[in-house]
Amino acid sequence: MYKLKLHIISLGCPKNLVDSERFAWLAVEADLVLTDTLEQADFILINTCGFIESAREESVETILTALELRQPNAKVWVTGCMVQRYLPDLQREIPEVEAWVNLKDFTNFAGLVKFSGKINLSRQPLQVEQFAFLRIADGCNNNCSYCAIPSIRGRLVSETEEKLVREARLLVQNGARELIITGQDITRYGLDSHGKSQLVPLLEKLHELEKLAWIRLMYLHPAHVDKAIISAVRDMPKVR
C-alpha cells in the first residue's frame, strides 16, 4: 500500500529545527513517510527564517525551487518566522503555495496531514541522533534595538522544568548523548514564571540524566551571565 511522503526543509536557527521536528512527529503519526528527496515527495513543508535579509532571500529561493522541482500535483506548505512577518506579501507574490501555516500552528498542520490524535508536541528527529536541541523557552523580553525576535516570536515564555526534563529524558533514550540548550536568551529562562532565572536549577536536573555526556549552552546574553551560571559551568562536568 502506497504511503504519502513528506519532505521537510528547516531553515534558520536550531529553535526552528525544534518546531520542524514537532511538525515531523505529527506527520509520522498521521502515517506519512518522511523522505529526504524533494522530487519524490507528495507534500513539501518549508520552515522559513525571516530574521535578516539574507535569511529572507534564502527562504524565498527555497520556496521557488521547491515549486519548480516538485513532482506534479505535489503540495508545498510554508511555515516559520517569515510567514509570521510577511504573510500578506507572500500570499500575493507566491500564490502557488498550497497552504501557509502560522508560526508553531501545530493544530493547522495536524489538519493538513489528517492527524486526529492528541497533539502533545513530541518530536521526530531530523538530524543525527547523537545530539539534540532542547529549547527551554521561546520569545524574548530583552527588546534589543537590533533584534526582531520579540516582534516575531513574542515575549518570553518558558517551558516548565518538569516538561523539559521529561523531553530531555526521551531524547537521551532515543540516542542523544549531547543536549544543546537553546532559546533566545537562555539566561532568562524562568524569569517569566518565577521572577528570576531558573537556568541553574534546570541544569542541575539535566545533569543527573544517565547516559547524557554533554550539556552545551547556546544563546546566552553576556550581560545576563551571572556568578551562579559561571559556577554551574565550573562545577558540573557535563556542562560545557
Side-chain angles (χ1 to χ4, degrees):
M1 180 180 176
Y2 179 78
K3 289 190 176 183
L4 296 171
K5 299 183 179 67
L6 171 69
H7 178 68
I8 297 179
I9 302 173
S10 190
L11 303 174
C13 68
K15 299 179 287 293
N16 246 20
L17 178 62
V18 172
D19 290 334
S20 295
E21 291 184 341
R22 287 173 174 165
F23 285 124
W25 181 84
L26 288 168
V28 170
E29 289 296 302
D31 213 24
L32 271 67
V33 175
L34 299 181
T35 176
D36 293 330
T37 307
L38 184 151
E39 292 84 354
Q40 294 180 354
D42 301 286
F43 307 105
I44 301 162
L45 176 67
I46 303 169
N47 194 352
T48 61
C49 178
F51 186 48
I52 58 176
E53 183 176 357
S54 60
R56 296 192 291 270
E57 291 173 353
E58 181 187 26
S59 293
V60 171
E61 290 172 3
T62 301
I63 296 169
L64 296 178
T65 299
L67 289 167
E68 179 183 355
L69 298 181
R70 63 177 171 168
Q71 65 175 334
N73 301 319
K75 293 179 170 58
V76 174
W77 303 327
V78 181
T79 186
C81 293
M82 194 164 177
V83 174
Q84 186 74 10
R85 293 189 77 179
Y86 303 110
L87 179 56
D89 294 336
L90 291 168
Q91 289 175 317
R92 182 178 62 253
E93 297 295 331
I94 318 178
E96 299 89 347
V97 170
E98 178 74 18
W100 302 95
V101 181
N102 288 332
L103 184 67
K104 300 192 294 185
D105 190 348
F106 302 107
T107 300
N108 185 1
F109 183 76
L112 292 174
V113 298
K114 297 180 171 52
F115 172 82
S116 57
K118 181 180 179 181
I119 300 176
N120 62 16
L121 302 186
S122 295
R123 294 163 57 183
Q124 173 70 33
L126 295 176
Q127 58 179 20
V128 294
E129 296 180 359
Q130 285 78 11
F131 69 91
F133 293 97
L134 183 69
R135 188 176 67 196
I136 63 176
D138 206 7
C140 188
N141 295 349
N142 289 342
N143 292 314
C144 301
S145 60
Y146 56 81
C147 184
I149 289 298
S151 65
I152 299 173
R153 288 187 172 263
R155 294 182 62 78
L156 174 70
V157 178
S158 300
E159 300 285 1
T160 66
E161 181 183 278
E162 179 184 10
K163 176 189 177 298
L164 290 171
V165 172
R166 185 169 63 246
E167 183 178 352
R169 186 175 290 112
L170 255 173
L171 292 169
V172 172
Q173 288 175 357
N174 289 335
R177 294 298 171 261
E178 176 182 335
L179 287 181
I180 304 173
I181 311 303
T182 186
Q184 268 64 50
D185 175 8
I186 64 171
T187 68
R188 292 316 215 192
Y189 168 71
L191 193 67
D192 53 323
S193 54
H194 290 73
K196 61 180 180 179
S197 175
Q198 297 297 301
L199 177 60
V200 172
L202 174 64
L203 292 177
E204 290 171 346
K205 290 289 178 58
L206 297 176
H207 197 268
E208 296 173 359
L209 294 177
E210 295 182 8
K211 297 184 179 180
L212 178 62
W214 287 356
I215 302 171
R216 294 192 186 271
L217 306 182
M218 193 174 190
Y219 301 126
L220 298 91
H221 196 297
H224 304 146
V225 177
D226 58 18
K227 291 182 179 179
I229 295 174
I230 294 172
S231 297
V233 175
R234 180 194 64 197
D235 297 337
M236 288 189 258
K238 294 181 181 179
V239 180
R240 307 296 176 97

